Amino acid sequence: MKKTFIVLTALIIFITGCGPTIYKTADFSDKTSSHKIVAILPTDVNIQLRPNEMKKTTPEQISQSEESTGRDIQDKMYSWFLKRSDKFKYTVTFQDISKTNALLSQASISYNSLSTKTKEELCQLLGVDAVISSRAAMKKPMSEGAALAVGLLIGSWGSTNDVQTSINIHEGKKGELIWKYDYYATGSVGSSTDRLVNALMRNASRKFPYNAKSK
C-alpha cells in the first residue's frame, strides 16, 4: 500500500511572536458599502523542510502536503466564520467553500494555478464582491527524527521554528487590496489545523473589517 505524506499545520502563537501588522485602505467603508458576499480561497501554503528531511521526501509529497493543508485551512476558516456569525455580526455572508471550489474546478483552476489569476478575475468567476486569500509559510515544520519516510497521519506533529501567516481581502471591481493582516511567530505546533485557524483568527477577529463590532 502506497503511503502518503500529508502535513496539516497548526500554530500556537503564545510562544514567541511579533505583533501583527495591519493594513486597511482609507476608503474601505466606501469600497465595501455594497458588499454582500465574500469567498474564501484555499490557503497558499509553503513548507520548507530541514535538509535531512528533504532527503526523505519527494517534491510531489511536499506539494500534496501543501495543497492538503491549504484546503483544510480554508475549510476551518469558513467554519470559524460560521460559528461566530452571531457574536461578531458580520456585515457580509461567506460563500460556501464547496461552491467556491466547484466553480474553480469547473473553470480548470487548480490549487497551484490560483496565483495565475487576478483577484478581480476570481471575484467575477465566483460571483462575489470580494475574496479572502491567506498564506502560511512554515520553516523547518518537522522535528528531528520525524517519520516522514513512512508518512504521517492527519494531526500528527513535531515542532516548528518559524511561521509567517497572512490574511488578505481584495475587492472585486478592480481587484484592489483593501485589507491585510500579517503575523509572524516562533513557537511550536499544535495537533490540528483547528489550532492554526483559531490562533490566527483569534488575533485577527477584533480588527476584521467585516466585523460590525470592530467599527
Side-chain angles (χ1 to χ4, degrees):
M1 177 179 179
K2 184 177 180 179
K3 297 179 179 179
T4 303
F5 170 57
I6 301 177
V7 175
L8 295 178
T9 304
L11 168 66
I12 300 177
I13 292 180
F14 64 79
I15 304 296
T16 303
C18 299
T21 300
I22 301 173
Y23 163 78
K24 183 178 180 181
T25 183
D27 56 351
F28 182 90
S29 296
D30 293 335
K31 291 183 180 298
T32 61
S33 60
S34 62
H35 285 193
K36 295 181 179 180
I37 186 167
V38 176
I40 304 169
L41 300 176
T43 299
D44 178 14
V45 175
N46 178 262
I47 298 173
Q48 298 181 33
L49 299 178
R50 298 171 185 268
N52 64 314
E53 290 161 348
M54 285 292 294
K55 299 177 181 179
K56 305 174 186 177
T57 60
T58 65
E60 290 75 18
Q61 288 175 317
I62 295 175
S63 179
Q64 179 185 0
S65 297
E66 291 172 337
E67 179 173 351
S68 298
T69 304
R71 293 189 180 281
D72 196 59
I73 294 174
Q74 177 198 27
D75 177 68
K76 297 301 189 301
M77 188 176 292
Y78 176 62
S79 297
W80 199 97
F81 283 123
L82 291 184
K83 292 177 181 178
R84 291 159 180 81
S85 58
D86 290 338
K87 176 181 179 181
F88 291 110
K89 306 298 181 184
Y90 296 118
T91 58
V92 296
T93 57
F94 301 95
Q95 186 177 74
D96 190 312
I97 62 168
S98 63
K99 179 176 182 179
T100 300
N101 293 336
L103 290 172
L104 292 173
S105 178
Q106 290 168 15
S108 299
I109 301 175
S110 67
Y111 175 82
N112 290 323
S113 66
L114 267 174
S115 61
T116 67
K117 302 298 180 180
T118 67
K119 296 302 189 292
E120 181 181 3
E121 290 174 326
L122 291 173
C123 283
Q124 293 175 353
L125 170 67
L126 299 173
V128 297
D129 301 302
V131 291
I132 296 175
S133 60
S134 55
R135 177 173 172 78
M138 292 156 280
K139 295 181 180 179
K140 302 180 180 178
M142 302 306 301
S143 62
E144 293 290 343
L148 300 187
V150 298
L152 298 173
L153 296 176
I154 293 176
S156 177
W157 282 99
S159 63
T160 185
N161 290 339
D162 302 290
V163 180
Q164 179 75 48
T165 59
S166 67
I167 303 175
N168 309 284
I169 301 177
H170 289 78
E171 57 85 30
K173 292 182 179 179
K174 297 181 179 180
E176 180 183 350
L177 176 66
I178 55 177
W179 188 79
K180 183 176 177 62
Y181 180 94
D182 295 314
Y183 199 97
Y184 171 82
T186 298
S188 63
V189 169
S191 59
S192 71
T193 47
D194 284 308
R195 288 198 177 186
L196 169 61
V197 173
N198 286 339
L200 179 59
M201 296 306 296
R202 184 170 57 249
N203 284 275
S205 60
R206 294 180 181 179
K207 298 296 183 180
F208 190 71
Y210 292 117
N211 172 0
K213 291 187 176 182
S214 68
K215 296 181 179 181

